[in-house]
Structures are given as C-alpha cells and as structure tokens.
Amino acid sequence: MSTVSYKDAGVDIDAGNQFVENIKPLVKSTFDKNVIGGIGSFAGAYELPSGYQKPVILGATDGVGTKLKLAIDSGIYDTVGIDLVAMCANDLICNFGTPLFFLDYYAMSKLEIDAAVNIVKGIAEGCIQAECSLIGGETAEMPGMYHGKDFDLAGFAVGIAEKDEMNRLPHVKAGDVLIALPSSGVHSNGFSLVRKLFFDKLGYTFETEFDGKPLIETLLTPTRIYVKLFKALKPKINALAHITGGGIVENLPRVLPEGLQAQVYKSKIKTLPVFDFMSQYVEESEMHRTFNMGVGMILVVSPENVDDVLAHSDGYVIGELKTGERSAIML
C-alpha cells in the first residue's frame, strides 16, 4: 500500500507557511508600541497602556455573516476583513472601551494564498482604522468541513476602559438628544434578506448598475468604523449604540435605563439609496428591524453638547429621550 500525506488529505503545510510570510508586512503595519514580539509565536502579546486608574479589559467577538457569500461568489476579498474588525471594534466603544488588539480565525476548504492575503489585507486595514493592533490569528484548512471556495471568518477584539466610565446608564437622562452617525451602507447585517431580494426575487447580477456603479460594489461596501470619532467626542457622549442586526428598535434600548423612551423620527433619518430601493419590496417594520437604514451608530448627548458634537462630526439629530416605557419607538 502506498503512503499518504497531509497534502493528499487536502492540507498543504507549505502553502500555509508561504501565506504567513506573505502577510507579515500587513500585520506589522498595524503594530503600535505596546505590541511585544511579532507574528509566528504561540500567542500574541500586548503590554497594557499606562494612565488608567481602574483598568477593565473588554472583549468582543463577531463574524461577517452571509455577506461572505457575496465576497466568495464575486471573488472580491479585500473588504470583508474591514467588516470583521468593524463589527467587534464598534461594539467595544459602546462600553466606552478603546480597542487595543485584534485576532482573527479564518477557516476554509483549501488555502488559496492570493485570496487569503487579500482577506488579511482587509483585516489589517480595519485594524488601522480602529487604531488597534493585529497581534495574531489562526488559519485552518479544513477539507470536508468546507467545500469549494467557501470560507468563514471570526474576529476577536480586546479593549480597555476605566471601570468608572463603563456604566453609562446614570448619564442618560430625559431630554437627551439622539444624534445619528451615518452608516456606509448595509454594513454586515441582513444579507440573507439582501441576497434573497436582489438575486433570487429580482434576478439581478453583480454587474447590474445600482446607484451609478455595479451592484456588488454597493453591497460589499465595508462597515464604517467609528473608533476615531468616538475618541474625539468621548467627553461629550453620554452613551452610544451600535446599530446592527435588529436595527434601531432593538439596539437603542440597550443603552437606556428603565423609565426612558427613545423617540426617533423616521422623517429625519437620512436613508441610503439601497434601503430606499429595498423598501419597495420589504415591509417597513421589517426594514427597521433588520437593517441600519443609514444609521450606523447613535449617540446620546446632553442638550448643551449637541452643537459641539454636530460641529465635529457628520452626525445629525434624529430624536430625543422622554419619560416612558424603556423602548425605542419610530415616529
């Protein structure tokens, strides 16, 4: 009987080693002074920054969801890594945490080096936008578990916060103003519905022109990362909510104390063309429970700080907080 190798089983160790060599410059571009060592060790190391009185470590994890299917089918791989970082980093800042470092898990049937490098290129770009370091990751070639060009991504972000700043509920009061920060597009939620509508129901292709460019470019627009803006506005923010799956109606109440109701005026929301189009085929309530509708983050701001926040951001007012049942209602 002839011998069998790991490569015969579908796993190419040499390709994996070459991939690591190819991504080293990308990974290193995200490093800051607190990174200890480099890529290739058993674990990433990061020195905690000084200056915190009661430092708390925060962790967030997420994926990209079925938006990956569009990247796989279109062969466009350099944007979903940004989405991966964004979904984690944007969650961290909602707990007033500053992202420190990021790790990724990338699993596929067969390692295609060029595609894999482009994926990590996106992750590195996302880390640069989030001002955090990519200190490690895992690439798993898993024939039999994944098939063809299918792959999956998971991300893990670690941040730091002052313990006394984390609980935002005491800072949120009736009369506070709701400021929307625009999203860049669909971000990374609701893509099962997006794919069902555009490709199954309407029969569109990736090349179908939409809003002046190929549809695939609109759909793969990466999730906006709000870390830098948060850092700049932090002293003026009472709370903030990342608007992901569940939309405004499910995410905004997470930052409200009992007895406060968020009243959001639909007419004030600057919806994006992609949402206006989908609204012709999807019930309004379903749209608001599934998508961000053009609002990627909502800031809760005291009235006296509104002008300053608006002057130093691209935000705009969409509502206010009033006494009532803890909820977010769309008026």
Side-chain angles (χ1 to χ4, degrees):
M1 180 182 295
S2 61
T3 59
V4 63
S5 68
Y6 209 7
K7 189 171 184 179
D8 293 332
V11 179
D12 190 338
I13 296 175
D14 292 332
N17 291 335
Q18 185 60 55
F19 166 64
V20 172
E21 288 300 314
N22 289 358
I23 65 172
K24 280 184 177 180
L26 297 171
V27 174
K28 190 174 181 180
S29 71
T30 71
F31 285 4
D32 61 22
K33 64 181 182 180
N34 297 310
V35 176
I36 300 173
I39 187 173
S41 186
F42 289 97
Y46 193 93
E47 183 176 0
L48 292 181
S50 59
Y52 288 82
Q53 301 300 313
K54 297 179 181 178
V56 174
I57 297 298
L58 297 87
T61 184
D62 212 332
V64 182
T66 56
K67 189 175 187 176
L68 287 181
K69 185 63 174 171
L70 297 183
I72 293 167
D73 291 346
S74 67
I76 301 172
Y77 297 110
D78 59 351
T79 60
V80 287
I82 300 175
D83 290 293
L84 185 67
V85 177
M87 298 305 291
C88 299
N90 287 342
D91 279 352
L92 282 182
I93 61 176
C94 291
N95 287 99
F96 263 53
T98 299
L100 297 177
F101 59 85
F102 190 84
L103 302 97
D104 69 275
Y105 176 80
Y106 170 35
M108 78 298 292
S109 171
K110 178 177 176 57
L111 179 62
E112 300 289 347
I113 294 179
D114 289 344
V117 169
N118 276 325
I119 289 169
V120 174
K121 179 181 179 181
I123 296 173
E125 172 59 28
C127 286
I128 290 171
Q129 292 183 25
E131 298 186 332
C132 66
S133 300
L134 178 58
I135 67 167
E138 173 67 11
T139 304
E141 202 170 12
M142 301 169 65
M145 288 289 290
Y146 296 90
H147 301 279
K149 294 185 177 181
D150 286 349
F151 67 90
D152 201 6
L153 290 174
F156 311 89
V158 172
I160 190 170
E162 283 284 8
K163 184 177 182 180
D164 295 340
E165 293 182 349
M166 289 180 58
N167 182 11
R168 307 311 301 169
L169 295 181
H171 300 271
V172 178
K173 310 289 185 183
D176 282 355
V177 177
L178 303 174
I179 295 178
L181 297 181
S183 67
S184 56
V186 185
H187 282 186
S188 296
N189 298 104
F191 271 87
S192 293
L193 177 53
V194 169
R195 290 164 50 237
K196 181 73 174 179
L197 172 60
F198 280 106
F199 305 114
D200 294 348
K201 180 178 177 65
L202 299 177
Y204 285 8
T205 68
F206 293 158
E207 291 73 32
T208 299
E209 184 175 332
F210 184 88
D211 197 29
K213 57 186 176 182
L215 175 61
I216 190 62
E217 290 187 21
T218 295
L219 298 183
L220 283 183
T221 300
T223 304
R224 181 178 175 183
I225 295 175
Y226 299 91
V227 173
K228 292 181 182 179
L229 198 54
F230 163 72
K231 289 180 177 180
L233 299 175
K234 182 179 175 182
K236 307 291 183 180
I237 300 172
N238 295 339
L240 64 168
H242 186 197
I243 308 305
T244 56
I248 294 174
V249 292
E250 293 189 10
N251 285 289
L252 187 51
R254 297 166 67 178
V255 304
L256 303 180
E258 292 295 336
L260 283 187
Q261 183 179 82
Q263 297 189 355
V264 179
Y265 300 100
K266 290 183 288 187
S267 62
K268 293 188 176 183
I269 296 176
K270 299 177 182 179
T271 57
L272 300 174
V274 66
F275 298 120
D276 293 334
F277 179 86
M278 287 192 290
S279 294
Q280 300 176 62
Y281 303 94
V282 180
E283 292 288 342
E284 182 182 66
S285 59
E286 182 81 356
M287 290 293 297
H288 282 285
R289 290 187 67 246
T290 305
F291 301 111
N292 65 64
M293 298 302 290
V295 179
M297 190 79 68
I298 294 179
L299 310 182
V300 181
V301 178
S302 298
E304 63 270 20
N305 290 326
V306 170
D307 288 344
D308 197 24
V309 170
L310 295 179
H312 293 88
S313 72
D314 57 350
Y316 60 95
V317 174
I318 60 169
E320 64 261 334
L321 300 185
K322 294 189 176 181
T323 302
E325 181 183 358
R326 179 176 172 267
S327 60
I329 60 172
M330 310 297 293
L331 299 175

